[in-house]
Amino acid sequence: MSGNIELLSATLAKAKSEDRAALVAYLPAGFPTVDGGIEAVKAVIAGGADVVEVGLPHSDPVLDGAVIQTADDIALRGGVKIADVLRTVREAHAATGAPVLVMTYWNPIDRYGVERFATELAAAGGAGCILPDLPVQESALWREHADEHGLATVFVVAPSSKDERLATITAAGSGFVYAASLMGVTGTRESVGNEAQELVRRTRATTELPVCVGLGVSNAVQAKEVAGFADGVIVGSAFVKLLLDAPDLPSGLAAVKALAGELADGVRRG
């Protein structure tokens, strides 16, 4: 069974052909429940997200801010397992036809089994993995199995990455490059800042892959700003916060769908 890297690439290319950035949404699996998380993924796609990253909850999510840490804790206390993450990918992709990736720290995949995870993610219709803490020089085994199963390997670059390092990272990656707009952890911010635009410029000098910007985007104004220079706009904490703050699941689903619609308008740059 082959994964959906080609669907991911086609989706990003379609957005570019429409002279807009792609909207990439992040939601953790198992939050607020496994079933609720699946419905949340469907809701953001119905609202206008082009691509979804499904987070694999981790007990020590060092790169994530308080909002996603809270959601991960709820998911883990609810007993979420890797099987539930794969089910989330499978059901969300089957229901929407959209490309769905898993965003995960490396340790859970390493413990689960690299070949097993790649095989099962591809069978679930997954488009690939975003691996924020896997060093490129230690990624050969994963990339071998990802390539074999038609899965993208998305690495994260940051403003601190030197040009030579950027070239090494982008040469090893596939699907797209995740550009962290600023140093620090995930979360909403008042401003995305100029560092992101400069990082996109430097990254594009090393690769033909689309460059998608995440960390800090939470509203349509910021989405429009980032869409002016990036191929994709990644939004996570703003969606998760809406689900955390909602009095019940239906209210939360309506809120994330509405935000996805506002952001989808924002990335259209016009």
Side-chain angles (χ1 to χ4, degrees):
M1 176 75 71
S2 181
N4 272 312
I5 185 173
E6 290 184 2
L7 173 63
L8 174 65
S9 297
T11 300
L12 294 169
K14 180 175 183 289
K16 184 175 183 179
S17 75
E18 296 170 356
D19 191 33
R20 66 177 179 89
L23 175 59
V24 183
Y26 167 92
L27 288 164
F31 168 75
T33 62
V34 175
D35 288 343
I38 292 168
E39 293 307 312
V41 174
K42 293 179 188 176
V44 295
I45 295 169
D50 299 288
V51 178
V52 175
E53 306 170 6
V54 170
L56 195 160
H58 195 275
S59 57
D60 185 26
V62 293
L63 298 178
D64 292 306
V67 169
I68 291 175
Q69 285 188 22
T70 299
D72 275 10
D73 185 55
I74 290 168
L76 290 167
R77 284 192 279 114
V80 70
K81 301 286 193 293
I82 286 181
D84 299 312
V85 178
L86 294 167
R87 180 187 153 211
T88 301
V89 172
R90 181 171 58 252
E91 294 194 14
H93 171 66
T96 65
V100 183
L101 301 103
V102 170
M103 185 164 189
T104 178
Y105 296 94
W106 178 244
N107 181 253
I109 294 180
D110 194 34
R111 289 174 59 186
Y112 192 76
V114 176
E115 182 176 10
R116 178 186 177 195
F117 187 84
T119 301
E120 293 181 9
L121 179 58
C129 263
I130 302 164
L131 300 162
D133 69 336
L134 178 63
V136 170
Q137 60 271 27
E138 297 173 20
S139 68
L141 179 62
W142 164 258
R143 287 188 285 126
E144 175 188 337
H145 289 297
D147 290 348
E148 180 183 342
H149 290 287
L151 298 169
T153 298
V154 179
F155 289 113
V156 179
V157 298
S160 59
S161 304
K162 300 287 190 283
D163 289 348
E164 184 179 353
R165 177 72 179 154
L166 283 177
T168 300
I169 293 170
T170 59
S174 57
F176 64 91
V177 182
Y178 187 128
S181 66
L182 68 177
M183 302 305 294
V185 298
T186 59
T188 63
R189 287 176 173 79
E190 294 299 315
S191 156
V192 178
N194 295 326
E195 280 189 320
Q197 187 166 359
E198 176 62 11
L199 177 58
V200 170
R201 184 195 66 76
R202 291 172 52 227
T203 303
R204 280 188 174 146
T206 70
T207 184
E208 296 295 315
L209 290 173
V211 183
C212 301
V213 170
L215 273 67
V217 178
S218 61
N219 58 52
V221 173
Q222 292 172 332
K224 183 175 181 179
E225 177 193 351
V226 174
F229 57 81
D231 299 297
V233 180
I234 302 170
V235 180
S237 295
F239 287 122
V240 177
K241 189 172 190 309
L242 289 175
L243 289 170
L244 279 171
D245 292 347
D248 51 51
L249 181 62
S251 301
L253 296 177
V256 297
K257 182 179 178 181
L259 177 60
E262 294 166 16
L263 294 166
D265 287 341
V267 299
R268 277 163 172 78
R269 298 180 176 142

